[in-house]
Amino acid sequence: MHPASLFPAIEAMKATSNLPGEFELIARYFAPLAAKFPGAYGLLDDAAVIAPPPGHELVAKTDAIVGGVHFFDDDPPDLIARKALRVNLSDLAAKGAVPRAYMLDIMLPGNVSEQWIAAFARGLAQDQGEYRVHLIGGDTDSTPGPAAIAIVAFGDVAAGQMIRRCGARAGDTVFVTGTIGDAALGLEVLRGTLPNLDANAASALVDRYRLPRPRVTLGPRLIGLASAALDVSDGLLADLRHICEVSDLAAVIEECRVPLSRAAQAALSISPERIATVLAGGDDYEILFTAAPTAAGELTELSRRLDVPITAIGRMESLSDGDGHQIRVLDESGHPRAFARSGWTHF
Ligand code: ADP
Ligand code: MG
């Protein structure tokens, strides 16, 4: 995009930047990531062409990450890149889509080095191999603020089959993949607010914060099984509330069923009140979904075959069944628990 050179901050930054020009950067670091996708035209045209296979639709999703908000400025650039891509792939997975291509808008402050960009592109290359997606275009800008990275991801889904947030029914079981709370606890480790945790547990949690594992193999297999789904990014309780709201239902969760990693269990044994972080912290990038109780057998089989843990943690109820709260969390003895907040919001 054409820069608004009226802004003195941007002019000053240009003077101090030691980067090669925008087009040289694109050719050197981004064009190789588009080489295998014919419709990207080598990143030498204005736009890309992408068509779904016959009988399919494209599912589109965008998510941005911002330095100081979603990552720390001194985080390894390859991990920043992979997280930026993976948070989008996680949404596609939760919608039942198979990831295909993505676009990258990158806004960089003047003090970023070429090595930083090279490492960033290496991170993308690694995940392109792992998830079989291709870069097909984007935009490269300078910014007077912290680095910001926006990705638009596209995936294929059979026409009309995208798994929606609505569609849950009273009596459905609530399931979640993987383990919950690791990333939010990992962020606490990075902030120094979870001392006394052994080094192995601490590094396992930090790893989950820095590098989400989007459930791309499972997501498309949930079509026909899940009545509603989303990925857990704001926090388990907040995201479950999203399903409740669009389905006009309530949900009850049994706290003791929420799947925890050993590292999270270690953190909770030191600090039991961190259960609030686990249930409301977010950044899990697991799939939360509802399904009829009769789907349980098929889900167990899928879980085994794909090696993705799937755990039943509660059930959907009609709003009039419970105590008027949309989400109830029951402790071991069946008593409702109260939480100060259910998830992350920006403003
Ligand atoms: P325009 O002048 O039309 O805005 P640009 O000059 O911004 O286009 O970009 C030229 C080409 O390079 C386009 O194909 C665009 O998609 C691609 N491109 C620019 N930045 C990136 C990026 N960060 N990642 C991938 N492709 C990019
Ligand atoms: Mg152009």
Side-chain angles (χ1 to χ4, degrees):
M1 241 173 30
H2 193 70
S5 43
L6 296 172
F7 291 102
I10 294 179
E11 287 305 312
M13 205 168 49
K14 271 188 175 167
T16 58
S17 171
N18 45 13
L19 291 176
E22 173 188 340
F23 296 109
E24 183 54 32
L25 282 178
I26 294 168
R28 216 179 275 176
Y29 297 106
F30 298 133
L33 300 172
K36 291 191 184 137
F37 197 95
Y41 303 115
L43 303 186
L44 292 169
D45 213 313
D46 291 306
V49 171
I50 172 169
H56 287 67
E57 292 170 326
L58 284 179
V59 176
K61 162 68 196 178
T62 186
D63 240 323
I65 61 173
V66 178
V69 181
H70 302 92
F71 61 88
F72 296 93
D73 290 332
D74 56 354
D75 279 347
D78 58 324
L79 292 185
I80 296 172
R82 295 166 77 194
K83 181 165 182 174
L85 178 57
R86 288 174 180 219
V87 298
N88 283 282
L89 300 183
S90 174
D91 280 291
L92 293 184
K95 301 294 98 182
V98 176
R100 183 107 177 283
Y102 67 99
M103 305 185 96
L104 168 70
D105 293 350
I106 184 162
M107 276 74 50
L108 296 172
N111 61 1
V112 157
S113 67
E114 189 171 351
Q115 286 88 328
W116 193 97
I117 296 175
F120 184 91
R122 270 200 305 278
L124 291 177
Q126 188 174 346
D127 272 5
Q128 286 196 189
E130 189 160 339
Y131 296 105
R132 294 205 237 132
V133 286
H134 303 271
L135 182 62
I136 62 168
D139 196 25
T140 305
D141 296 294
S142 56
T143 172
I149 298 133
I151 283 186
V152 185
F154 302 94
D156 299 326
V157 74
Q161 298 296 305
M162 186 181 94
I163 308 171
R164 305 280 314 275
R165 284 184 178 183
C166 55
R169 285 170 293 256
D172 279 357
T173 307
V174 176
F175 293 93
V176 73
T177 61
T179 57
I180 292 297
D182 301 312
L185 292 169
L187 181 57
E188 291 217 26
V189 171
L190 287 172
R191 286 183 171 149
T193 53
L194 246 185
N196 310 326
L197 190 60
D198 75 86
N200 281 343
S203 84
L205 296 173
V206 168
D207 180 59
R208 280 290 307 266
Y209 170 73
R210 286 191 166 149
L211 201 58
R213 295 344 187 241
R215 300 299 186 179
V216 293
T217 56
L218 178 72
R221 312 307 296 269
L222 291 179
I223 291 176
L225 288 173
S227 50
L230 46 56
D231 74 325
V232 183
S233 55
D234 295 337
L236 181 76
L237 301 181
D239 285 314
L240 181 56
R241 175 164 293 128
H242 291 147
I243 290 186
C244 288
E245 273 161 3
V246 293
S247 310
D248 259 327
L249 292 172
V252 55
I253 296 300
E254 290 173 57
E255 186 187 296
C256 59
R257 290 181 183 249
V258 173
L260 301 176
S261 67
R262 294 172 72 146
Q265 286 171 29
L268 283 179
S269 68
I270 295 170
S271 167
E273 71 280 6
R274 289 295 197 288
I275 186 69
T277 305
V278 168
L279 297 179
D283 251 349
D284 296 293
Y285 301 105
E286 297 291 351
I287 302 180
L288 177 67
F289 65 97
T290 59
T294 50
E298 225 172 310
L299 288 167
T300 305
E301 170 58 19
L302 250 189
S303 165
R304 196 191 53 75
R305 191 147 34 94
L306 300 178
D307 196 22
V308 174
I310 298 176
T311 309
I313 59 170
R315 67 182 177 279
M316 303 301 293
E317 296 180 332
S318 71
L319 272 168
S320 51
D321 284 353
D323 57 5
H325 286 92
Q326 204 153 30
I327 308 275
R328 288 181 299 141
V329 179
L330 305 181
D331 67 15
E332 270 103 291
S333 38
H335 294 116
R337 263 201 196 258
F339 290 99
R341 66 183 195 103
S342 62
W344 167 261
T345 61
H346 277 277
F347 300 105

